[in-house]
């Protein structure tokens, strides 16, 4: 007996119904596949957002995985632009040509404690990483593509004599991760146009003078996103979760304690914590010990000691905490297609507490906003 294919899901935003036979007629005429809705009402409700897809339709634009069962409305928009070049005059990490990082795999589980020279190296690269993120964030607007943002990040890195750490790390094809809406992390920049109402995470890492600096933030695209209670709730909850966890960082704090604080705060806002991805050590190696889980009752081993540098980067979801990876082997989305947000800092444990190496400046774009008030 042949197994029945899985039911198609309606592509309407936040719609969990199975799709019927109704397809967008404009998509059909343009050759865009997979635009199934559950009802005429759902189609009309999503029209203003959905019609942006039609602007992308041309013989050169396509979805590389048309038969994949996507969990939400987002689709990849290919082809990807060619791999961007970093001048040879800029120092490259060990994986820049091979795609295979060496440092993190050959080291023991010992957590490095940096001396003053190492701390200064981390301070410098993290300051530059903050500058690059802010440059890219200032360009976010409806109508720009995520590939446009990748170009901005890449060029900003080059201007600072730095290598964009994601580029060819385990064969990642771009210089920044751009994670939209239901994408948890590791979104690949492509020709997808940002629309009013999106939320976008930019994850920037630089390699400069032998050290990596890593940070990310989630931003509102246009006024519609700032007026959407669910988008604001998940974004501000993720921001607050990171802030609450950082308050604990000092010598003697157990790595497993951060997840307890993060999950408690997320649950108080009606959100869940993604479990698959963790914070990580970072210094001369992009990813190294320790691992920092963000969920409660984890079994992380070890404690904070002066000179350690690591990230905390909670990923918070409106729905379930489980994830699904696209066939590109990078893009990770929520299993139910609901929105997710993330914030990340690189942190230095000092003798008395913590130094936020990637801290925002007075001029940094974005920042917290209040929950939108219900219309009278």
């Amino acid at each position: 007996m042949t197994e029945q294919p899985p039911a198609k899901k309606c592509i309407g935003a936040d719609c969990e119904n199975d799709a019927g036979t109704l397809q967008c007629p404009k998509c059909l005429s343009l050759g865009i596949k997979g635009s199934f809705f559950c009802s005429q009402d759902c189609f009309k409700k999503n029209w203003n957002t959905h019609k942006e897809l039609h602007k992308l339709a041309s013989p050169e634009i396509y979805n590389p995985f048309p038969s994949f069962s996507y969990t939400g409305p987002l689709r990849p928009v290919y082809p990807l632009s060619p791999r961007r070049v970093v001048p040879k005059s800029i120092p490259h990490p060990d994986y820049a040509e091979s795609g295979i990082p060496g440092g993190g795999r050959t080291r023991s589980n010992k957590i490095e404690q940096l001396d003053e020279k190492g701390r200064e190296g981390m301070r410098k690269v993290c300051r530059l990483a903050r500058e690059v993120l802010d440059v890219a964030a200032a360009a976010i607007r409806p109508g720009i593509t995520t590939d446009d943002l990748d170009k901005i990040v890449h060029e900003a890195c080059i201007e600072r004599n730095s290598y964009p750490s994601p580029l060819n790390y385990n064969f990642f094809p771009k210089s920044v991760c751009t994670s939209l809406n239901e994408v948890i992390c590791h979104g690949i920049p492509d020709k997808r146009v940002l629309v009013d109402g999106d939320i976008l995470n930019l994850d920037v890492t630089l390699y400069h003078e032998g050290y990596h600096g890593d940070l990310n933030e989630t931003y509102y695209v246009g006024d519609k996103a700032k007026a959407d209670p669910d988008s604001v709730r998940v974004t501000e909850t993720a921001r607050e979760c990171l802030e609450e966890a950082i308050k604990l960082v000092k010598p003697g704090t157990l790595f497993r304690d951060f997840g307890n604080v993060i999950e408690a705060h997320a649950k108080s806002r009606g959100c869940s914590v993604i479990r698959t991805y963790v914070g990580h050590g970072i210094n001369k190696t992009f990813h190294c010990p320790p691992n920092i889980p963000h969920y409660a009752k984890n079994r992380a081993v070890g404690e904070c000691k002066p000179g350690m540098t690591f990230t905390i980067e909670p990923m918070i979801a409106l729905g379930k905490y489980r994830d699904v990876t696209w066939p590109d082997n990078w893009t990770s989305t929520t299993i139910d297609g609901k929105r997710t947000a993330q914030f990340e800092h690189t942190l230095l444990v000092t003798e008395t507490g913590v130094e936020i190496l990637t801290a925002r400046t007075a001029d940094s774009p974005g920042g917290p906003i209040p929950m939108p008030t219900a219309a009278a």
Side-chain angles (χ1 to χ4, degrees):
M1 182 176 179
T2 57
E3 187 175 322
Q4 292 294 320
K8 293 187 290 288
K9 291 293 184 181
C10 175
I11 68 167
D14 298 325
C15 182
E16 299 181 358
N17 296 330
D18 289 341
T21 58
L22 173 64
Q23 295 187 65
C24 170
K26 183 66 173 177
C27 285
L28 287 173
S29 68
L30 294 171
I32 300 174
K33 299 179 181 179
S35 296
F36 289 92
F37 291 85
C38 63
S39 68
Q40 191 72 32
D41 287 343
C42 193
F43 176 54
K44 290 178 179 178
K45 177 183 176 183
N46 286 275
W47 174 248
N48 286 336
T49 301
H50 174 73
K51 67 182 181 181
E52 295 295 328
L53 290 175
H54 304 152
K55 298 177 182 179
L56 302 174
S58 77
E60 293 80 28
I61 301 296
Y62 65 96
N63 173 0
F65 316 113
S67 62
F68 180 69
S69 183
Y70 294 92
T71 63
L74 190 68
R75 299 290 184 274
V77 184
Y78 275 44
L80 299 182
S81 60
R83 176 176 163 179
R84 304 190 197 282
V85 176
V86 179
K88 292 183 178 180
S89 59
I90 294 176
H92 289 38
D94 59 5
Y95 54 82
E97 295 302 322
S98 69
I100 303 172
R105 298 181 182 183
T106 58
R107 292 171 180 262
S108 68
N109 289 327
K110 183 179 179 181
I111 302 168
E112 190 168 356
Q113 292 175 252
L114 299 179
D115 58 17
E116 190 54 36
K117 180 181 178 182
R119 296 184 192 194
E120 281 303 314
M122 287 298 291
R123 288 186 180 106
K124 183 174 183 180
V125 68
C126 287
R127 183 174 65 253
L128 294 174
R130 164 54 67 182
E131 290 178 6
V132 172
L133 177 63
D134 287 354
V135 167
I140 293 173
R141 67 182 189 280
I144 196 171
T145 69
T146 52
D147 187 63
D148 293 334
L149 294 172
D150 181 75
K151 183 174 186 287
I152 290 169
V153 167
H154 187 89
E155 292 178 351
C157 290
I158 302 306
E159 289 170 3
R160 289 160 178 79
N161 203 42
S162 300
Y163 183 98
S165 300
L167 185 61
N168 210 35
Y169 180 82
N170 286 319
F171 309 106
F172 188 81
K174 293 295 176 180
S175 297
V176 64
C177 295
T178 53
S179 300
L180 273 161
N181 301 336
E182 69 265 28
V183 178
I184 298 165
C185 58
H186 303 155
I188 297 175
D190 61 16
K191 290 181 168 55
R192 203 279 195 174
V193 176
L194 299 187
V195 299
D196 192 358
D198 285 335
I199 57 174
L200 173 68
N201 180 274
L202 292 180
D203 194 338
V204 166
T205 313
L206 266 64
Y207 179 73
H208 183 83
E209 296 181 353
Y211 293 92
H212 296 269
D214 190 4
L215 77 164
N216 74 57
E217 292 193 23
T218 300
Y219 301 92
Y220 301 101
V221 181
D223 292 334
K224 286 185 179 179
K226 295 178 182 178
D228 176 48
D230 281 343
S231 293
V232 175
R233 175 162 59 94
V234 73
T235 301
E236 298 308 321
T237 298
R239 191 193 313 271
E240 293 160 4
C241 282
L242 176 57
E243 292 170 351
E244 291 301 310
I246 290 174
K247 292 177 184 177
L248 296 183
V249 181
K250 62 181 179 180
T253 298
L254 301 178
F255 297 135
R256 65 172 178 259
D257 288 347
F258 301 122
N260 297 329
V261 170
I262 290 168
E263 185 158 322
H265 188 74
K267 284 186 173 180
S268 76
R269 298 290 192 267
C271 296
S272 65
V273 180
I274 303 299
R275 299 188 177 193
T276 301
Y277 305 98
V278 298
H280 55 88
I282 184 170
N283 40 63
K284 289 186 175 181
T285 304
F286 191 175
H287 295 90
C288 57
N291 284 342
I292 309 292
H294 303 115
Y295 57 90
K297 298 180 181 179
N298 66 77
R299 298 181 179 180
V301 176
E303 66 180 48
C304 297
K305 295 180 181 179
M308 290 181 175
T309 45
F310 55 82
T311 71
I312 301 178
E313 46 186 293
M315 288 146 269
I316 307 302
L318 286 171
K320 298 176 181 178
Y321 68 82
R322 297 189 184 278
D323 56 279
V324 172
T325 301
W326 284 3
D328 61 22
N329 295 321
W330 281 107
T331 307
S332 179
T333 68
T334 54
I335 196 169
D336 51 14
K338 293 188 177 180
R339 291 193 168 192
T340 177
Q342 181 188 17
F343 289 82
E344 173 186 24
H345 278 306
T346 294
L347 308 167
L348 166 66
V349 183
T350 67
E351 281 66 25
T352 58
V354 62
E355 186 176 336
I356 304 174
L357 299 180
T358 48
R360 291 173 56 82
T361 72
D363 298 324
S364 292
I369 67 170
M371 282 292 294
T373 55

